[in-house]
Amino acid sequence: MKNNNDPARTKISDYSPQISRDTHVQYVKGVGPARANLLNRMGIETIEDILYYFPWRYEDRKDLNKISSMKPGNHETVLGQVVSADIITTPRKRMKIFELTVSDETGFLKSRWFNQPYLKKYFQKGQKVILRGTVKGNPYTGSGLEMENPDFELFGSEDTLIHTSRIVPVYKATEGLSPKQIRTLMFNTIKAYSFIVEDYLPEEVLKRNNLKPLGWAVKEAHFPEEFIDVSALNRGADPAHRRLVFDEFFLLELGLAVLKKRENAEKGISFSAKDGLVNKFLNSLPFKLTNAQKRVLDEIKADMQRPFQMNRLVHGDVGCGKTVVALVSMLIAVENGYQACLMAPTELLAEQHFINIHRMVEDLGLKVVLLTSGRKDKPVDDISGGGAQIVIGTHALIQETVQFKKLGLAIIDEQHRFGVVQRAALRRKGFNPDILIMTATPIPRTLAMTLYGDLDIAVIDELPAGRKPIITKIFFPSQKDRVYSLIRRELSLGRQVYIVYPLIEESEKLDLKSAIEGAEALRKIFPDMKIGLVHGKMHHDDRESVMAMFKSGDIAMLVATTVIEVGIDVPNASLMLVVHSERFGLAQLHQLRGRIGRGGYDSHCLLLAYPPFSEDAGRRLKAMETTGDGFRIAEEDLAIRGPGDFFGTRQSGLPDLKIANIVRDIGALERARKEAFDLIETNPELDRYPLLKEMLQRKWMGRLELIKS
Ligand code: ADP
Ligand code: MG
């Protein structure tokens, strides 16, 4: 692994040709200690890092426009010479405007920047400057062209090669280092050092996927010479980007393939197929399993019977019945004399699971305990002594202090929070239990291939019969009366209603209605109705008693924060009002909505939204209105949030995707995954490809090693 804190390792004299990809940027020509610092802050430490710091967009400066040929309304780039640069103060508002006039041989162009008087110091008369912005006609004179707040770049006579007459790359700048300075630095770095880029992909992979050489791709992605369609470059659809994107996916998937191969070979418990407890439990249920539940359970059973460790992900839409599947899996472990645990991401969710599961297995004579860090009475003795067969808890379960007598199965109920590294930690605890991961809502296929690419995946793609589609509609505050009358109608039919609020207490900053205040207001609007309130800050017992009253029908209306997201199951509830729905995430809204529509009644989800809200919020609400299908919602959620947000790679333990985008580049992802998994199948140790193997280790920063132990 590289060690950038050790200058001795990378120090080279000015005369030494001993440059490698690990050489610290400070030794790059044109980078002194000060610049090196700035670059470090941008995450650039080595020559390799700098070569892989790609532009975020490209600008076509092949033939810069002449001023006279610019058209109002167009986005244009021009090169002009400074005629005047003045600060003007508006008489009334006393706003400072910096006004710049430039000319070329065809005319004049005026530009304005508001409240940035400091800009004046950059512009001397006669200085050449490139301006990029939207062109306006002057509204007062009707003649003359103007730009407001254009991007600008000062232009020196020696700059022709790098900054104009070509497609130029535009880099994310940082304070103290302008896009132009970075461009110059890049130009020189590429010229001097791009030779260090080695192609590590197997020939056949390159051929099959029609990929260009890596060194070429790196150079072209910075300073396109051969491929000059600027819009394709900006879409990442050119040959250089195709190569770089493929490589990122390939190295990611190759690591996942290594992990998967290794995990599947990990010695594990071979449970035997005793069905006594399981059948007793299934017979006690008031329903039959769906075909999808049966199929997934068969897959899990087969995994558990193999003498290897199970590493499986189960996902499916809200209400598809994941809890039952989890429980049956636990019962298999218990029947074989092992303990099983279920780990939830929050204390509240752990409590909900505990209550549900406790109720479901009560008659089987099993001991179920709850362990969270917040609870005083921790059942550690029951766990270490083996008295508790089923343990529900939070991450506290994998802490040092908790010792299981004989853990056979760990179920992780998560929302993209339990990454590769944490899973390895669970194993390093000394247990080697079978592992089953469950997500609350479906995950898009692309995410499954990346975040969970090392797991076996099972999908419950069927809802129990009798679920009616939920009618979802957006309402604005001006339509509150309509909302109340819909609620009243539902109540008069004997149904029950959820009112969901985003926060517990009023936040002054966001001015959100709190659940507490909301309950007060609703009691005035519906004086004859029993209204209950639950939120996260309530004592656990109080919360439970309110929930129980709602379940039994003593309470007609339950006002709640998102604590009801998971676990609560009241078939008679047929309407949900989500207040400030614009504040909720899409997956969360869908998960909430899954609380209704369980009783065979027509159900309604009312999304009360307070404008103004962002475009993304609008898209989320629209998606809720348009579809009830959790799989489609999941795809839309990914499209809105963008892959970066989902990834949280630091936490997931996966290498960064800098240039590839799992939404945009899905085709490349699929091809790269196939190639990577095929390669590991035929050459698991990668000993035929030493360069590739080394690159893989670098990309995963030793994590593949770490996980081996
Ligand atoms: P989720 O997958 O969202 O966790 P749950 O496990 O909470 O779903 O199940 C939702 C509801 O459906 C529960 O009331 C559960 O008892 C019920 N359920 C589960 N499986 C079936 C089935 N096969 N037929 C009918 N109802 C079922
Ligand atoms: Mg097994």
Side-chain angles (χ1 to χ4, degrees):
M1 238 183 81
K2 60 186 173 188
N3 178 356
N4 301 310
N5 298 327
D6 177 9
R9 193 169 165 260
T10 53
K11 185 155 184 169
I12 48 154
S13 83
D14 274 344
Y15 309 101
S16 165
Q18 295 276 279
I19 292 274
S20 81
R21 57 190 174 187
D22 286 332
T23 304
H24 194 271
V25 279
Q26 183 172 335
Y27 302 95
V28 168
K29 239 173 139 176
V31 181
R35 265 207 182 163
N37 259 334
L38 291 174
L39 290 169
N40 289 169
R41 251 187 273 152
M42 294 157 73
I44 299 170
E45 308 256 347
T46 65
I47 293 200
E48 180 170 63
D49 293 342
I50 197 167
L51 289 174
Y52 277 82
Y53 187 78
F54 290 108
W56 70 283
R57 64 177 178 82
Y58 300 84
E59 222 170 279
D60 193 347
R61 294 189 188 165
K62 278 196 300 293
D63 352 78
L64 291 179
N65 256 334
K66 293 296 170 206
I67 290 176
S68 63
S69 68
M70 297 194 311
K71 302 236 163 19
N74 281 3
H75 207 70
E76 311 248 19
T77 309
V78 287
L79 173 63
Q81 206 160 7
V82 175
V83 177
S84 67
D86 302 298
I87 293 167
I88 294 163
T89 308
T90 57
R92 268 197 275 148
K93 288 188 175 164
R94 308 215 46 83
M95 194 193 329
K96 285 206 161 81
I97 299 175
F98 171 57
E99 240 182 44
L100 179 77
T101 305
V102 302
S103 71
D104 64 10
E105 63 278 15
T106 69
F108 292 86
L109 170 72
K110 192 171 266 188
S111 300
R112 294 199 176 82
W113 288 265
F114 300 94
N115 288 324
Q116 299 173 62
Y118 60 88
L119 289 177
K120 182 173 171 10
K121 67 172 184 283
Y122 296 116
F123 300 93
Q124 311 302 324
K125 211 169 157 183
Q127 164 75 53
K128 281 190 176 166
V129 56
I130 293 173
L131 293 160
R132 176 176 181 269
T134 306
V135 182
K136 289 184 173 178
N138 185 318
Y140 302 107
T141 62
S143 69
L145 297 169
E146 303 193 350
M147 287 184 180
E148 268 176 24
N149 292 312
D151 292 336
F152 70 89
E153 240 179 70
L154 300 181
F155 186 75
S157 50
E158 75 289 0
D159 284 350
T160 325
L161 239 151
I162 308 179
H163 306 285
T164 54
S165 318
R166 59 154 61 246
I167 289 183
V168 298
V170 182
Y171 297 92
K172 287 252 156 70
T174 184
E175 208 181 315
L177 210 50
S178 71
K180 185 178 169 186
Q181 287 170 315
I182 299 178
R183 189 182 305 132
T184 306
L185 179 63
M186 282 296 180
F187 190 82
N188 295 329
T189 308
I190 305 267
K191 218 161 72 181
Y193 306 116
S194 62
F195 70 89
I196 65 161
V197 176
E198 281 179 297
D199 216 318
Y200 48 79
L201 281 191
E203 267 309 308
E204 319 85 74
V205 174
L206 291 181
K207 277 217 199 82
R208 263 196 302 273
N209 294 280
N210 193 17
L211 296 171
K212 293 277 197 175
L214 185 57
W216 179 89
V218 169
K219 275 195 269 186
E220 279 282 309
H222 286 288
F223 290 92
E225 304 274 357
E226 284 181 37
F227 190 87
I228 45 174
D229 173 352
V230 75
S231 84
L233 283 161
N234 279 323
R235 277 181 284 120
D238 58 295
H241 281 85
R242 280 195 49 234
R243 169 67 208 257
L244 298 168
V245 164
F246 185 91
D247 278 34
E248 275 195 351
F249 283 144
F250 185 77
L251 290 169
L252 170 70
E253 293 296 336
L254 196 63
L256 291 169
V258 169
L259 285 174
K260 182 161 185 193
K261 187 134 192 102
R262 203 177 278 157
E263 282 171 3
N264 284 355
E266 196 85 35
K267 287 253 171 319
I269 307 154
S270 174
F271 296 96
S272 55
K274 303 174 192 156
D275 282 337
L277 204 51
V278 171
N279 284 340
K280 203 169 154 194
F281 168 70
L282 291 178
N283 290 334
S284 77
L285 291 175
F287 50 76
K288 292 227 171 331
L289 295 184
T290 61
N291 286 327
Q293 283 171 317
K294 280 189 210 150
R295 193 193 67 238
V296 168
L297 268 173
D298 284 343
E299 290 177 57
I300 293 172
K301 265 188 219 164
D303 280 358
M304 291 180 75
Q305 287 172 16
R306 288 165 58 228
F308 303 107
Q309 195 191 23
M310 168 167 74
N311 280 285
R312 188 173 278 280
L313 172 82
V314 173
H315 69 122
D317 209 345
V318 184
C320 69
K322 289 181 288 282
T323 314
V324 173
V325 169
L327 240 167
V328 170
S329 318
M330 294 204 272
L331 293 178
I332 295 172
V334 170
E335 188 150 46
N336 277 269
Y338 287 88
Q339 292 168 295
C341 73
L342 190 158
M343 189 153 62
T346 66
E347 302 223 346
L348 266 169
L349 294 181
E351 278 173 21
Q352 290 299 322
H353 277 306
F354 173 71
I355 290 157
N356 284 342
I357 287 171
H358 191 267
R359 198 185 56 229
M360 290 170 95
V361 301
E362 241 172 358
D363 298 338
L364 300 174
L366 300 181
K367 181 150 193 177
V368 185
V369 298
L370 174 65
L371 183 127
T372 64
S373 45
R375 291 173 71 84
K376 273 184 257 110
D377 49 337
K378 293 195 179 47
V380 280
D381 293 341
D382 278 338
I383 298 173
S384 60
Q389 287 108 334
I390 294 178
V391 183
I392 317 286
T394 53
H395 280 54
L397 284 179
I398 52 170
Q399 272 154 18
E400 310 288 346
T401 44
V402 183
Q403 272 303 324
F404 283 82
K405 176 128 188 279
K406 206 178 172 191
L407 184 65
L409 172 69
I411 299 181
I412 297 155
D413 172 24
E414 67 143 17
Q415 288 140 11
H416 313 302
R417 278 179 207 154
F418 207 78
V420 171
V421 173
Q422 287 96 320
R423 267 182 264 145
L426 182 63
R427 217 168 300 141
R428 280 204 310 279
K429 286 282 157 204
F431 336 127
N432 217 7
D434 279 4
I435 294 178
L436 193 61
I437 294 178
M438 304 223 164
T439 64
T441 50
I443 44 171
R445 208 160 47 93
T446 43
L447 270 186
M449 278 190 274
T450 48
L451 279 179
Y452 300 102
D454 59 325
L455 303 177
D456 295 308
I457 295 177
V459 190
I460 310 183
D461 50 4
E462 179 187 359
L463 293 178
R467 299 274 163 84
K468 282 216 176 163
I470 298 162
I471 299 147
T472 302
K473 199 167 165 1
I474 303 165
F475 287 88
F476 297 106
S478 59
Q479 301 166 294
K480 264 189 183 165
D481 286 343
R482 174 91 188 110
V483 168
Y484 293 140
S485 76
L486 285 170
I487 292 175
R488 203 165 276 123
R489 188 189 68 187
E490 220 57 25
L491 294 172
S492 71
L493 290 169
R495 301 285 92 76
Q496 287 164 282
V497 168
Y498 293 106
I499 318 272
V500 184
Y501 282 84
L503 279 186
I504 310 147
E505 285 151 300
E506 183 127 348
S507 147
E508 279 171 9
K509 246 204 260 152
L510 297 173
D511 191 29
L512 295 180
K513 303 275 178 299
S514 74
I516 297 165
E517 243 185 61
E520 290 305 316
L522 285 164
R523 284 188 179 114
K524 286 188 193 117
I525 297 163
F526 299 97
D528 47 337
M529 287 292 157
K530 275 196 86 171
I531 298 177
L533 170 68
V534 288
H535 56 74
K537 296 229 166 121
M538 268 165 93
H539 190 271
H540 158 259
D541 295 343
D542 297 338
R543 198 167 58 226
E544 279 325 311
S545 77
V546 177
M547 294 262 208
M549 279 161 76
F550 187 64
K551 200 163 166 61
S552 69
D554 292 342
I555 288 175
M557 217 190 273
L558 185 68
V559 178
T561 56
T562 48
V563 295
I564 61 160
E565 206 176 306
V566 168
I568 197 163
D569 190 23
V570 180
N572 190 47
S574 60
L575 185 144
M576 172 175 288
L577 169 66
V578 184
V579 182
H580 273 296
S581 51
E582 78 282 359
R583 300 267 178 212
F584 291 78
L586 188 46
Q588 199 179 20
L589 284 174
H590 181 65
Q591 177 69 21
L592 280 167
R593 177 169 62 180
R595 299 303 106 200
I596 55 172
R598 291 165 169 244
Y601 309 110
D602 284 332
S603 295
H604 298 266
C605 178
L606 319 182
L607 303 171
L608 185 56
Y610 288 71
F613 45 77
S614 68
E615 199 180 308
D616 282 357
R619 274 178 79 182
R620 293 196 295 267
L621 297 172
K622 201 76 212 152
M624 286 292 291
E625 227 179 28
T626 321
T627 181
D629 178 346
F631 289 86
R632 277 179 60 196
I633 296 250
E635 297 285 349
E636 183 65 11
D637 198 18
L638 179 60
I640 295 171
R641 283 163 65 182
D645 192 16
F646 270 95
F647 250 68
T649 37
R650 289 283 119 62
Q651 212 177 348
S652 70
L654 303 175
D656 266 343
L657 295 177
K658 289 201 183 105
I659 193 161
N661 174 322
I662 59 171
V663 178
R664 185 189 69 186
D665 305 320
I666 173 158
L669 171 58
E670 277 167 351
R671 281 194 306 277
R673 178 171 175 87
K674 177 155 185 357
E675 291 286 359
F677 276 72
D678 286 353
L679 186 62
I680 290 300
E681 222 28 73
T682 53
N683 192 209
E685 300 299 325
L686 293 177
D687 38 23
R688 279 184 9 230
Y689 309 100
L691 282 179
L692 174 60
K693 192 170 180 168
E694 193 195 333
M695 198 58 188
L696 182 68
Q697 290 296 357
R698 288 167 72 85
K699 262 280 171 171
W700 283 74
M701 304 209 283
R703 284 187 209 108
L704 292 176
E705 224 73 272
L706 175 151
I707 285 155
K708 203 195 283 188
S709 58

